[in-house]
Amino acid sequence: MAEARLSLRVDLGTAHQGLRRLGPGKVALLEAIARDGSISAAARSLGMSYRRAWELVEDLNTTFGAPVAATATGGSKGGGARLTPLGEAVVAGFRALEAAAAEAAAPHLAALLERLPRG
């Protein structure tokens, strides 16, 4: 049976300032950092390089004007990372927006599915 789902990407800022994007990939990275306790472990779990993960975190820091993750350098107890309250709010806000959009879109997606050829 055919399915339809909504994928959400949010453009933040203005055309004059430059738009910054927030979408499921960056939010999944933040969730992985919260779960795995480090940017490198989060990157590995998502199949991306540490460099790419760090670039995405830096982009989010720039977008929101403050750190979304707090990092600790390695040592005898190892390093790590955790989400800041801002990072947690970004994840929660995006997931709430995603849920609200999916709920609002559900009847429209169902109507589109009804128009697909049956086969």
Side-chain angles (χ1 to χ4, degrees):
M1 174 174 230
E3 295 180 22
R5 68 177 181 87
L6 188 66
S7 178
L8 185 67
R9 184 192 78 207
V10 180
D11 293 330
L12 301 163
T14 65
H16 176 70
Q17 295 173 308
L19 292 175
R20 298 285 193 171
R21 294 202 164 128
L22 177 65
K26 288 178 181 173
V27 172
L29 175 60
L30 292 178
E31 290 170 330
I33 291 168
R35 179 187 65 242
D36 299 334
S38 78
I39 294 173
S40 60
R44 277 192 303 276
S45 74
L46 296 173
M48 73 173 64
S49 71
Y50 173 79
R51 177 180 161 85
R52 180 65 180 144
W54 186 250
E55 287 171 348
L56 293 174
V57 169
E58 284 295 313
D59 184 65
L60 287 165
N61 291 344
T62 300
T63 296
F64 291 101
V68 295
T71 60
T73 56
S76 62
K77 296 184 180 183
R82 62 175 176 74
L83 295 188
T84 62
L86 173 60
E88 292 171 351
V90 168
V91 170
F94 183 83
R95 292 301 185 205
L97 180 59
E98 194 175 50
E103 183 178 339
H108 304 287
L109 292 173
L112 288 173
L113 284 173
E114 287 296 317
R115 287 168 175 75
L116 292 177
R118 301 197 191 278

